[in-house]
């Protein structure tokens, strides 16, 4: 181990625990070891090293590897104080993404295409990249760290590094190759290898920066707020109605799906196998969330209905973690961002072809969240939310879910609602996951997925009753 690696290892536990992107916050760390240390800039201050730190936990759960670009200067100003990792041997070591000299160096390296110590800075063919501007770190609460260069480029440094090509880069490259305008075009990457056997790893990705854009989640929340504030009006009557945006978003997602299928192909999956995975997740969730018990039979029946489908399920590469927070509204239309997939899932699962309905369901769940999260904010505390507000939130969610599906159907020729058994199962599967997540980390939000589970299972039951009635009527006539 080098002196730098040893000194960093001593300082990193404290530093990591303070970072928003450190995914294991609160879990006792047994040790942090510097697994890789690649000097990138050695000619003078600031010195720069790419560092991969392996974090071991007290509970014996799998080691996680985090990436840092570590800058070193003999003196640093106040502007770097909040990202200082430690001081040793006359150096101050800090997170270098906040150092303009380093961000300038990084984008120049990608633009010119260099290789340093096995790390490749790769521009895409005919890349258009910012030049001559330092980057500034985006303030967003992120699981990675993004740096914006003027209004031209955005570099995302992946904080969790696993062996293999990151699906965010893989899918963005595939979409660039087919000329997609529904995503922020990838313009370059930083890549290398990890581990003793030198497996591919993705360290960073550079895309076009979508200037003057708004996040879908923020826009949806504003729309809901407008509606709740105008309690006498309907969702289609208030100024901030979101339905036309939801419709266009549906169109955009359909086009992305079609482009991904065109670029990377389609396969078929066995409905029984998809249902089995849902049933396993439900079983595990039920042990953690007692409130799921009253819905478990109905949810299980919805998953069994998937297993009972007799045709294989069309599958392809999908987004995998689609929700309103993964969309940007630019002055020209919607963009879908962040194709990393479900962050906590292993890479093999994230790159597996899946039904496009899983993404559609993710977005439908997000409309519920936008509507009912606002409602919680309006009526915090133990009291039941006001009935009229609650009715409005339902109306907003239903209207926008439908508009999204209408747009998706118009662009793809295939209405997601026509696949009700699959679509509802995916929605329930997601809501079960959310119920666990919320119970663990934000218990006051747990009623949102639980209420959705109740709504969906009630809808299914109502339809089954109606079908029985129709059958009975048919028998009588
Ligand atoms: P999260 O953990 O929140 O999913 P992440 O680390 O995976 O974040 P992204 O989702 O890719 O990162 O981006 C984070 C935020 O940066 C987005 O919500 C958006 O506000 C902004 N952003 C991302 N890509 C672009 C882009 N191409 N143009 C403009 N802003 C962008
Ligand atoms: Mg994101």
């Amino acid at each position: 181990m080098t002196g730098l690696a040893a000194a960093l290892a001593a300082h990193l536990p404290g530093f990591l625990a303070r970072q928003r992107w450190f995914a294991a916050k609160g879990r006792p760390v047994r040790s942090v070891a510097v697994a890789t240390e690649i000097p990138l800039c050695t000619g003078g201050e600031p010195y720069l090293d790419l560092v991969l730190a392996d974090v071991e936990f007290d509970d014996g759960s799998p080691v996680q590897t985090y990436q840092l670009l570590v800058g070193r200067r003999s003196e640093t100003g106040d502007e770097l104080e909040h990202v200082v990792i430690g001081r040793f041997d006359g150096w101050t070591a800090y997170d270098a993404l906040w150092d303009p000299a380093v961000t300038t160096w990084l984008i120049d390296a990608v633009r010119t295409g260099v290789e340093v110590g096995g790390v490749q800075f790769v521009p895409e063919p005919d890349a258009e990249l910012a030049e001559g501007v330092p980057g500034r770190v985006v303030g967003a609460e992120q699981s990675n760290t993004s740096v914006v260069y003027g209004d031209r480029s955005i570099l995302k440094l992946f904080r969790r590094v696993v062996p293999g090509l990151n699906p965010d880069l893989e899918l963005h490259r595939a979409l660039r190759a087919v000329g997609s305008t529904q995503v922020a075009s990838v313009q370059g990457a930083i890549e290398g290898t990890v581990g003793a056997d030198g497996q591919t790893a993705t360290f960073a990705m550079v895309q076009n920066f979508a200037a003057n854009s708004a996040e879908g989640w923020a826009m949806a929340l504003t729309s809901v707020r407008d509606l709740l504030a105008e309690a006498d009006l309907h969702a289609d009557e208030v100024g901030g109605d979101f339905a036309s945006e939801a419709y266009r978003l549906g169109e955009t997602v359909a086009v992305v799906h079609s482009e991904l299928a065109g670029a990377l192909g389609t396969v078929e999956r066995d409905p029984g196998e998809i249902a089995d995975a849902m049933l396993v997740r439900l079983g595990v969730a039920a042990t953690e969330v007692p409130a799921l018990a009253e819905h478990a039979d109905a949810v299980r029946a919805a998953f069994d209905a998937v297993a009972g489908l007799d045709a294989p399920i069309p599958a392809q590469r999908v987004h995998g973690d689609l929700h309103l927070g993964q969309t940007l509204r630019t002055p020209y239309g919607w963009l879908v961002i962040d194709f990393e997939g479900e962050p906590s899932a292993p890479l093999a699962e994230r790159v597996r072809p899946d039904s496009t309905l899983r993404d559609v369901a993710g977005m439908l769940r997000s409309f519920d969240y936008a509507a009912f999260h606002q409602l919680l904010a309006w009526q915090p505390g133990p009291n039941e939310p006001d009935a009229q507000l609650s009715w409005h939130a339902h109306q907003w969610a239903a209207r926008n879910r439908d508009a999204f599906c209408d747009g998706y159907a118009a662009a793809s020729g295939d209405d997601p609602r026509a696949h009700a058994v699959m679509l509802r199962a995916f929605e329930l599967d997601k809501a079960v996951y959310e119920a666990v997540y919320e119970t663990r980390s934000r218990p006051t939000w747990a009623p949102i997925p639980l209420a959705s589970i109740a709504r969906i299972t009630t809808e299914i039951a109502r339809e089954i009753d109606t079908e029985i009635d129709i059958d009975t009527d048919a028998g009588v006539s």
Side-chain angles (χ1 to χ4, degrees), residues 21 74 114 118 131 149 153 190 213 251 254 267 269 280 287 296 300 309 336 341 348 397 416 433 468:
W21 44 261
S74 44
V114 297
E131 194 169 351
Y149 293 85
S153 307
I190 306 177
S213 60
E251 290 180 312
V267 295
R269 281 185 61 183
V280 168
T287 62
R300 205 171 297 116
L309 294 172
V336 178
Y433 166 91
I468 292 170

Side-chain angles (χ1 to χ4, degrees), residues 141-144 156 168 215 319 321 323 325-327 337-340:
E141 290 274 292
Q142 267 186 270
S143 43
N144 298 292
K156 170 151 89 167
D168 209 6
E215 271 189 44
H319 184 282
D321 184 29
H323 54 80
Q326 309 281 39
T327 65
I337 59 170
D338 191 5
F339 286 70
E340 263 199 287

Side-chain angles (χ1 to χ4, degrees), residues 192-212:
T193 55
V194 282
D197 46 358
Q199 291 193 69
T200 302
T202 310
F203 296 136
M205 176 170 77
V206 187
Q207 290 171 275
N208 284 345
F209 179 67
N212 301 317

